[in-house]
Amino acid sequence: MQNTPLIPWHSMFMGVALLAAARSKDSRKRNGACIASPDNKIMGVGYNGLPRGCDDNDETYWSDVDEDPLRSRHSYIVHAEVNAILNCVVLPLTGSTIYATQFPCPRCAQSIIQVGIRRVVFLEQKAHQAASIQAANKMLADAGVQVLSLDELEQPSAEWCGKLDEFIRQTGPVVHGTPPA
């Protein structure tokens, strides 16, 4: 009898990113990220949310008036990739892989490059962000960072993570530690 794991590494790390995304309070898009070392150790996990000390109940932080930086949630939210870097439990991150539920924006790409992450594995891209994706891709390519969708990297992992994502979304919020009926 051969002892084998139930899921491969890519499924585990993207699964952790999906679970982290479920902690986000951003009702428009919940994103998560997980950084893994070359020897498959989790180094950092994050999700998109407000910086510590900012009140999640303050409606200013969640406004969607993108033409006005004071009333745009994009001015306030710390992206999942940056949170994973900031929450890192081991340094340096040189040579590691970041698993992100969404393709990184240019600012996240800058942070990824700056800390020495060498590979990005993402779950999905937003079609309406084509220009931002091109800018991020240019920086990542110029810096020699490998970028792969989970789908092209390992199709069974992409399918498994798709099912996990669907399960998380259907489950909805947990109230007082008790899962919904």
Side-chain angles (χ1 to χ4, degrees):
M1 179 168 106
Q2 184 178 6
N3 294 328
T4 57
L6 296 176
I7 60 173
W9 288 116
H10 299 301
S11 295
M12 180 176 142
F13 298 132
M14 190 61 77
V16 169
L18 286 164
L19 290 170
R23 288 288 310 148
S24 174
K25 296 175 184 166
D26 187 341
S27 62
R28 298 255 342 257
K29 181 61 179 160
R30 299 173 199 274
N31 289 310
C34 175
I35 301 171
S37 69
D39 61 343
N40 298 316
K41 306 286 187 276
I42 293 176
M43 301 172 77
V45 176
Y47 56 87
N48 59 320
L50 296 175
R52 285 188 181 108
C54 295
D55 183 1
D56 287 319
N57 296 314
D58 184 337
E59 293 180 22
T60 303
Y61 291 130
W62 304 106
S63 298
D64 281 317
V65 184
D66 289 336
E67 303 79 43
D68 180 359
L70 185 61
R71 296 186 299 148
S72 172
R73 67 187 176 85
H74 298 291
S75 296
Y76 304 109
I77 299 294
V78 180
H79 288 189
E81 299 90 339
V82 172
N83 256 334
I85 291 167
L86 295 172
N87 292 333
C88 180
V89 295
V90 177
L91 288 174
L93 296 175
T94 307
S96 60
T97 299
I98 189 164
Y99 291 80
T101 56
Q102 185 173 295
F103 192 92
C105 72
R107 289 178 64 200
C108 290
Q110 294 166 354
S111 295
I112 288 166
I113 293 164
Q114 209 59 11
V115 297
I117 292 172
R118 303 306 300 156
R119 183 165 62 163
V120 173
V121 178
F122 67 93
L123 197 55
E124 65 180 9
Q125 297 182 58
K126 289 185 175 180
H128 71 276
Q129 294 180 340
S132 289
I133 290 169
Q134 282 182 310
N137 255 330
K138 176 176 178 22
M139 285 187 286
L140 293 164
D142 288 351
V145 176
Q146 182 184 26
V147 178
L148 299 163
S149 74
L150 184 60
D151 193 45
E152 68 184 325
L153 181 64
E154 194 172 270
Q155 179 61 40
S157 289
E159 291 172 12
W160 184 87
C161 288
K163 291 176 185 174
L164 177 60
D165 187 34
E166 185 178 324
F167 172 78
I168 291 168
R169 291 175 196 276
Q170 288 177 352
T171 302
V174 175
V175 180
H176 301 294
T178 306

